Amino acid sequence: MTTLLDLKSSVLRQVQRSQSLRTRREAPPAASSPLTHCPPEPLPRDHDDDVSVAEACKKLNEVSGLRGMGYFKQIAKSVRSNGSASSGSEENVDDFLGCINISLNEIPVAGYDTWFKLEPRSSASKVQGECHLILKVFTSQRDTTLSKRDTNVSIHKKLLSQIVEYEHAQVKQREPYNWNGQVSPPAWTVLTHHAVQTDLSPLQQAIRWQCYSNHHRNQRLCYSLLLRLLRTIDAEWDPPTVRGDLLSDSFRLYTEHCLCLMKNMRQVFPCTSAAAITRYELMLGIGYMQNMRAFKTVCPLRNELHLDITTAVKKGTSEWYESLIAQYKPEEGSLEEQLKKMVQVIDAVCADVQRGQNIYNKLFYAVKVDYFSISYRQLEKQVADDVNVAMERVCGTLEQESSRLTQTMGETIFELFMSLKILKGFREFLPLRDAKMLALTGFHNWFKSSIHKFLQIVHDRSCDRIRKAVETDQLQPVQQAKHSCSAVEVTACFSQVREIWLQLSWPDSAGAFIFVTRLTDNFCNEAVCYSEMMTRKIERNQLARDHKNFTVQLCIGLNNVEHVRVFLAHLPRDLDWPGVERAMEESCGAEGKEQVYKALSGQLFNMDLDLQREAKRLITVLTDKMQPELRRYIQHISLSPDSINNDDAVSPLMKYLQDTMVILTANLVKENLTVLQSMWELLLRMILDAVTENRGVQVEFYNRFQYTVETLLQFFHVKGDGLALEDMKSGDYKVLDEELKLNKCSSFDLIEQYYLEKISLQKTLKHTPYGRISVKCYYDPPEQRLTVEILHAADIIALDANLSDPFVIVELCPHHLFPAAKSQRTQVKLKTLHPVFDELFYHVSPEQYRHRYACLTFTVMDYDWLSTNDFAGEAVAPLSDFCWPGRPNASAAGKNVQPVILHLSRSKPKPIMRMLDARTGDREAQEFVRRLKEIEKSMEED
């Protein structure tokens, strides 16, 4: 099959035989494909050089797919809306030329008339149809005005432009951006032969670039086509062949148009369209132009392209922001409406910055432009200027006495602050050198006074919510929890305020300290207020409920308070106290850190004390309600006859406690089991009162209560799941245990216990207001006697007109242990507070010195001539310290031992005195108490 090139050669050889064209220069060889369309594969050459014109046209039509008039008729048929032209009609050509918007005068002559000037060989030739008509048209226009006025380049450009517009129009409605510049085979044939016949092959790529780039300014076009054309120009660049003015204007116009599109990129290439972003990425291939040899040659003075792109991006960003302001009009309306509109503006800016950072910025890598930094800095500056002006108006309004920050206004200000914070947060994507000095660096200072007022509104609102929550609370547990809905509402309020603070994330350390202190104070006040309201609510309900229902409600109330207390225990973490402390330490040193710690921890500590107080108040309500029943059961134990078994006497009390314990353990959280401690202490006090009221009774009475205490101890301990034994065996337990043990003792045992307590007390004395006495005690084995030297006394209290007449009574105690020992006394030293005695006293019976309660008593008295002597003070010294046989200093050398300083006191173990006093039938007990009462009477008279 003959190829198109072979056909063309055959036709040209016939044309050369023509007399009119034999002297013309032979046409140059065909150029490469002008567009993306490639010519058909070569066909076998026809060796018949004398092929007829009709056969050549027929074969040409077969190759190119033409019928009838050929290419022109084919296009005319494709665009006409009615009918088909008759073969060989001259009007059909006019129709086609009208369709492609070109007149007969603009038809390029050179090349086409050469190709189609085919003389018929005879009148009977079959080529007198379409080809003869084309011959007539082209030969008649050889010497037209157009061929004289316009150059071949201009003609080729016009022809190519018309064809491009026509071809693009065929696909524009379906896929305007996907047209890659491909034209139909006939159009390609016409353009190729015109370029060949007019010697335009070296300029053909430049002309194509001019036409397509110019077409791009008016129509949507695939940018990959333009990039391929640029690469082709760069690959085939030949400066001597291509004039600079042929490309310089097209380069300039194309660049300006692309920069204009970049300026309006948000509208032209919206990021919501993936196809638009792809086109934009291809368009940014304009950066390739700057490195082209052709561009550097024809545009030597052109600015660097990335600078032009930077200017376009900055200007486009500024214009977009101005359009945003014009859309929302934040300067109109009330102050609150203005701030709301400003929030909308900033949110739109944040969205644009986000899109720029995620999408657009990546596209600009190809042209070496940091799109995000340019657009962000431009927008951040404009937003800062507008918000600064708006906040100045807000501060000025709030400073007026009659002005008050409303809740909606405060929420709007907070929303504006958060929008600015989000916008400022994008600075982390900037280079470090660009992130230091930004207009929004200290924007939080614009909101300081407003945020203070806003936090007060938040506090007031939280208090209202808490009050309503308590009023509507039915004191029913929430699902699986043991607290009620009001506790949930309170912690929800706290959580919301905490989130507000976390969102604020105040950067200034001093300002953060003030805010954190205020928030902590608000939290503590709200928690204490809630606990007080809860306590009052339960107190009002106690009369309208039975014991069980009231106990359940009280447990829920305790759990509510505990739930809030546990939540607030995390305040140091939630409000980032350590961060505030570090910031203050950096700015103010260690003193600043200590100030923060004391202020914040002090608030939390006081709040915890207040909550514990309210919890104890609720527990007291419960124990007070239980007191009548508990007192009745304790009285039952007290009045039970000795014939009743201890278990039977105690069982009513234990059953009541067991029923109460079931309610408490089922409804209380573990942290609130301290209510058991209160019940335990209440029972101890009741038993102690019962024992105190029944002194001097039989020992079985005290044994029964001893058994009761031990039973209660095991009951509240619950084998380790209840109260700890070390906590239970303290305070009143020790007093009651001692009371029971002492009441079970004999009178002599109580007297001995009395002196043991006196000895124990003496060892703890360091300094008293009653003075001191210096003595020396030692045992002499040869003589088997105890020697006591009373040396002197000092700082004795004045009992007679600022002076005293002191003397000392020395006794071996207790008297029932030393029945033969007599009390001894020193001489009276008149009118002195620092008497010197230097007197010796002797005692015997060393076998009795080993008792730990055996002691020497030194009683300092003030001699009175007219009445009884006055008691000044006393001291005791245990004999076991220095005088039993076998001790190293128990020898004659004991005279050289160092004196002992004993501090005087006037205290008496009164519980033992009361026990002995209650034993009215015991002579020894009554005699001992009588002597002690005389001393007490003397002290009372002083």
Side-chain angles (χ1 to χ4, degrees):
M1 188 174 184
T2 308
T3 64
L4 181 61
L5 183 60
D6 294 331
L7 291 174
K8 184 184 72 173
S9 301
S10 175
V11 172
L12 290 178
R13 282 194 296 273
Q14 294 187 41
V15 170
Q16 289 174 356
R17 297 190 188 101
S18 174
Q19 185 66 30
S20 58
L21 297 176
R22 285 176 182 174
T23 59
R24 295 190 59 170
R25 181 176 53 87
E26 186 175 355
S32 60
S33 173
L35 301 173
T36 57
H37 179 75
C38 297
E41 293 295 328
L43 299 175
R45 180 176 177 180
D46 189 352
H47 297 282
D48 185 6
D49 292 341
D50 296 330
V51 64
S52 66
V53 175
E55 292 175 353
C57 290
K58 180 179 179 181
K59 292 182 179 181
L60 178 62
N61 291 338
E62 290 176 355
V63 174
S64 60
L66 301 179
R67 287 175 291 180
M69 286 183 60
Y71 171 70
F72 294 107
K73 184 176 179 180
Q74 180 72 14
I75 296 182
K77 283 184 178 181
S78 66
V79 299
R80 293 182 61 180
S81 60
N82 51 357
S84 59
S86 60
S87 176
S89 175
E90 192 168 333
E91 288 79 4
N92 293 337
V93 178
D94 294 334
D95 290 341
F96 162 71
L97 297 177
C99 291
I100 62 173
N101 196 22
I102 188 169
S103 65
L104 287 172
N105 293 332
E106 293 174 334
I107 292 294
V109 176
Y112 291 116
D113 56 349
T114 303
W115 185 21
F116 290 108
K117 184 175 177 56
L118 307 174
E119 292 289 346
R121 295 184 178 181
S122 65
S123 59
S125 177
K126 297 181 180 180
V127 297
Q128 293 181 357
E130 294 90 348
C131 292
H132 184 73
L133 178 60
I134 296 173
L135 168 65
K136 178 180 179 181
V137 172
F138 280 84
T139 55
S140 65
Q141 298 296 325
R142 178 183 303 274
D143 297 324
T144 60
T145 304
L146 178 65
S147 62
K148 297 179 180 179
R149 184 180 71 243
D150 292 352
T151 63
N152 292 331
V153 173
S154 177
I155 295 172
H156 194 82
K157 285 169 55 178
K158 289 182 179 182
L159 181 60
L160 178 58
S161 299
Q162 295 297 326
I163 293 176
V164 166
E165 288 182 7
Y166 172 78
E167 295 287 354
H168 193 191
Q170 305 310 304
V171 299
K172 190 162 59 177
Q173 300 301 326
R174 301 191 307 273
E175 44 185 16
Y177 289 112
N178 293 333
W179 185 59
N180 59 2
Q182 182 176 353
V183 299
S184 61
W188 172 82
T189 303
V190 170
L191 293 172
T192 300
H193 284 281
H194 182 262
V196 170
Q197 298 301 326
T198 55
D199 296 329
L200 295 180
S201 296
L203 304 177
Q204 203 167 0
Q205 299 300 337
I207 296 172
R208 293 170 198 153
W209 162 254
Q210 283 184 315
C211 291
Y212 278 89
S213 62
N214 182 66
H215 182 71
H216 159 258
R217 295 199 299 272
N218 301 315
Q219 302 291 336
R220 293 173 291 184
L221 198 63
C222 181
Y223 289 101
S224 59
L225 166 63
L226 299 175
L227 289 176
R228 286 199 301 272
L229 291 176
L230 288 175
R231 292 189 180 95
T232 304
I233 292 175
D234 194 32
E236 300 179 1
W237 174 242
D238 186 10
T241 305
V242 182
R243 301 192 311 272
D245 58 348
L246 192 61
L247 291 175
S248 60
D249 288 342
S250 64
F251 283 160
R252 176 182 58 81
L253 293 175
Y254 177 71
T255 302
E256 292 175 354
H257 183 68
C258 289
L259 292 176
C260 182
L261 294 178
M262 291 180 193
K263 186 167 67 70
N264 301 299
M265 53 178 285
R266 294 171 177 84
Q267 295 79 25
V268 181
F269 303 102
C271 65
T272 54
S273 171
I277 294 301
T278 302
R279 292 195 301 272
Y280 193 40
E281 183 176 11
L282 291 173
M283 192 197 78
L284 287 175
I286 187 177
Y288 175 79
M289 182 188 297
Q290 188 173 1
N291 298 320
M292 292 173 53
R293 294 174 297 168
F295 184 84
K296 294 178 180 179
T297 303
V298 302
C299 302
L301 302 179
R302 184 70 180 176
N303 293 333
E304 294 188 16
L305 190 58
H306 73 276
L307 298 179
D308 294 336
I309 295 176
T310 299
T311 303
V313 169
K314 186 179 295 186
K315 186 176 180 180
T317 301
S318 179
E319 291 179 357
W320 176 82
Y321 179 79
E322 294 300 332
S323 67
L324 202 63
I325 294 295
Q327 176 185 352
Y328 289 102
K329 298 181 175 61
E331 70 282 354
E332 298 180 359
S334 63
L335 187 57
E336 182 177 337
E337 292 174 347
Q338 293 178 17
L339 293 181
K340 288 182 178 180
K341 293 177 181 179
M342 200 67 223
V343 170
Q344 293 176 323
V345 170
I346 298 174
D347 290 344
V349 169
C350 290
D352 182 77
V353 172
Q354 183 72 59
R355 291 191 294 266
Q357 196 270 332
N358 291 338
I359 300 175
Y360 290 126
N361 195 50
K362 302 174 183 178
L363 307 180
F364 280 83
Y365 289 162
V367 291
K368 299 179 180 179
V369 172
D370 188 357
Y371 169 82
F372 174 77
S373 297
I374 298 169
S375 61
Y376 175 75
R377 291 181 66 87
Q378 181 68 31
L379 291 172
E380 188 257 0
K381 175 65 170 60
Q382 291 180 274
V383 168
D385 293 342
D386 290 344
V387 175
N388 191 10
V389 173
M391 290 308 300
E392 286 180 356
R393 290 198 299 269
V394 171
C395 295
T397 303
L398 294 179
E399 289 175 358
Q400 300 176 6
E401 296 181 358
S402 59
S403 178
R404 181 178 176 273
L405 185 65
T406 63
Q407 179 176 333
T408 55
M409 184 70 168
E411 292 174 352
T412 303
I413 291 176
F414 176 77
E415 190 175 359
L416 178 62
F417 180 92
M418 293 308 304
S419 296
L420 287 175
K421 183 174 177 291
I422 293 173
L423 180 60
K424 181 185 175 183
F426 285 102
R427 67 187 300 170
E428 65 178 286
F429 301 106
L430 293 174
L432 293 179
R433 65 180 183 277
D434 294 338
K436 295 180 179 179
M437 298 302 296
L438 292 175
L440 289 177
T441 299
F443 82 93
H444 60 277
N445 293 318
W446 308 338
F447 293 82
K448 186 172 293 185
S449 60
S450 302
I451 294 298
H452 274 292
K453 295 181 181 294
F454 174 66
L455 291 180
Q456 182 61 42
I457 293 176
V458 171
H459 173 61
D460 295 339
R461 186 180 179 185
S462 297
C463 291
D464 291 339
R465 290 177 59 183
I466 292 172
R467 177 180 53 79
K468 293 178 182 178
V470 174
E471 291 176 355
T472 58
D473 194 355
Q474 299 298 320
L475 293 177
Q476 297 294 330
V478 179
Q479 296 178 355
Q480 302 299 322
K482 293 184 178 183
H483 52 264
S484 63
C485 59
S486 62
V488 177
E489 180 68 10
V490 172
T491 54
C493 290
F494 293 164
S495 298
Q496 291 173 4
V497 178
R498 178 189 62 189
E499 290 303 318
I500 289 174
W501 173 246
L502 293 178
Q503 292 175 12
L504 283 174
S505 185
W506 202 262
D508 177 32
S509 58
F513 171 53
I514 296 173
F515 284 128
V516 169
T517 303
R518 178 164 186 171
L519 287 173
T520 303
D521 186 61
N522 289 347
F523 283 142
C524 294
N525 290 336
E526 291 163 11
V528 173
C529 180
Y530 170 70
S531 63
E532 292 175 350
M533 289 189 291
M534 184 59 60
T535 302
R536 289 194 296 268
K537 184 180 181 70
I538 293 175
E539 288 176 342
R540 290 193 299 267
N541 292 343
Q542 65 175 323
L543 299 178
R545 300 282 182 178
D546 57 29
H547 175 69
K548 181 178 180 180
N549 290 333
F550 172 73
T551 304
V552 171
Q553 286 194 353
L554 187 138
C555 291
I556 293 175
L558 285 172
N559 294 339
N560 288 345
V561 175
E562 179 64 20
H563 182 71
V564 173
R565 190 189 69 82
V566 170
F567 183 90
L568 292 183
H570 300 299
L571 272 184
R573 179 198 65 193
D574 295 340
L575 299 183
D576 191 22
W577 287 8
V580 177
E581 292 177 10
R582 289 192 299 270
M584 288 296 292
E585 184 178 19
E586 293 175 358
S587 59
C588 304
E591 294 181 357
K593 179 180 179 180
E594 185 68 17
Q595 179 186 3
V596 172
Y597 176 77
K598 288 183 177 180
L600 297 179
S601 59
Q603 287 178 323
L604 200 59
F605 178 76
N606 293 332
M607 181 273 300
D608 194 66
L609 291 180
D610 291 337
L611 293 185
Q612 291 182 23
R613 180 199 66 213
E614 292 302 317
K616 290 179 179 178
R617 182 177 168 184
L618 284 174
I619 294 173
T620 302
V621 173
L622 174 62
T623 55
D624 288 347
K625 197 172 182 64
M626 296 174 62
Q627 272 194 27
E629 291 293 325
L630 292 176
R631 187 173 287 109
R632 184 166 62 86
Y633 294 124
I634 295 297
Q635 188 176 12
H636 172 76
I637 297 173
S638 177
L639 298 177
S640 296
D642 297 341
S643 59
I644 295 180
N645 186 276
N646 287 338
D647 288 334
D648 295 337
V650 176
S651 60
L653 172 63
M654 301 309 298
K655 184 179 185 307
Y656 175 78
L657 291 176
Q658 182 65 38
D659 294 341
T660 305
M661 178 69 79
V662 170
I663 299 174
L664 295 178
T665 53
N667 295 280
L668 280 178
V669 295
K670 186 176 182 180
E671 292 79 6
N672 276 330
L673 288 178
T674 52
V675 67
L676 302 180
Q677 182 71 28
S678 298
M679 294 174 59
W680 165 251
E681 294 173 357
L682 175 62
L683 287 168
L684 290 179
R685 289 194 298 271
M686 286 184 171
I687 295 174
L688 185 58
D689 292 341
V691 171
T692 303
E693 293 172 359
N694 293 275
R695 285 196 177 98
V697 298
Q698 296 180 355
V699 176
E700 287 75 10
F701 174 85
Y702 302 107
N703 287 333
R704 176 161 292 172
F705 274 109
Q706 185 74 39
Y707 176 81
T708 302
V709 172
E710 293 299 326
T711 303
L712 291 174
L713 189 72
Q714 297 302 321
F715 174 79
F716 284 104
H717 181 57
V718 199
K719 297 181 180 180
D721 295 332
L723 300 178
L725 289 176
E726 56 270 19
D727 295 334
M728 298 173 67
K729 292 182 177 181
S730 61
D732 290 339
Y733 175 82
K734 291 183 177 180
V735 176
L736 178 59
D737 185 60
E738 188 70 18
E739 184 83 10
L740 293 173
K741 288 180 180 179
L742 292 177
N743 275 289
K744 293 189 297 183
C745 296
S746 65
S747 298
F748 286 157
D749 291 338
L750 289 178
I751 293 173
E752 292 170 0
Q753 187 66 33
Y754 172 86
Y755 283 107
L756 282 175
E757 291 188 15
K758 291 284 292 182
I759 292 172
S760 177
L761 178 64
Q762 184 69 54
K763 292 180 179 181
T764 62
L765 294 177
K766 299 299 180 182
H767 178 73
T768 66
Y770 308 109
R772 55 193 178 275
I773 185 172
S774 177
V775 299
K776 183 186 294 187
C777 301
Y778 53 90
Y779 181 74
D780 188 2
E783 299 293 335
Q784 292 187 350
R785 65 183 182 184
L786 174 67
T787 301
V788 179
E789 296 184 28
I790 299 179
L791 303 178
H792 59 85
D795 297 328
I796 297 175
I797 60 174
L799 298 177
D800 294 327
N802 296 327
L803 292 173
S804 291
D805 301 323
F807 67 94
V808 180
I809 300 175
V810 183
E811 295 179 286
L812 282 172
C813 294
H815 292 161
H816 67 267
L817 186 62
F818 303 99
K822 303 296 182 180
S823 63
Q824 299 175 344
R825 54 185 292 177
T826 65
Q827 296 179 357
V828 177
K829 303 298 180 180
L830 300 176
K831 300 186 184 305
T832 180
L833 299 180
H834 304 277
V836 177
F837 299 104
D838 285 334
E839 298 185 34
L840 294 175
F841 300 92
Y842 300 99
H843 299 275
V844 292
S845 305
E847 67 279 357
Q848 297 170 323
Y849 299 164
R850 294 183 178 88
H851 295 288
R852 60 191 182 93
Y853 47 82
C855 61
L856 280 169
T857 63
F858 303 93
T859 305
V860 180
M861 304 292 290
D862 176 40
Y863 179 75
D864 198 326
W865 295 90
L866 301 178
S867 61
T868 58
N869 298 326
D870 297 326
F871 177 73
E874 68 177 350
V876 296
L879 297 179
S880 59
D881 283 353
F882 43 79
C883 62
W884 65 80
R887 189 179 175 89
N889 63 345
S891 61
K895 299 179 181 180
N896 298 323
V897 299
Q898 295 297 322
V900 177
I901 304 297
L902 300 175
H903 293 277
L904 302 177
S905 69
R906 304 181 78 179
S907 61
K908 305 293 180 184
K910 293 187 177 182
I912 295 179
M913 287 181 59
R914 290 194 297 269
M915 294 178 192
L916 292 172
D917 190 27
R919 300 182 179 187
T920 55
D922 191 329
R923 187 178 61 84
E924 289 290 338
Q926 293 299 310
E927 180 64 23
F928 184 80
V929 172
R930 183 187 63 78
R931 294 179 64 248
L932 294 180
K933 285 184 177 181
E934 288 179 356
I935 294 176
E936 285 186 350
K937 183 178 180 180
S938 173
M939 288 189 293
E940 292 174 358
E941 292 176 353
D942 296 340

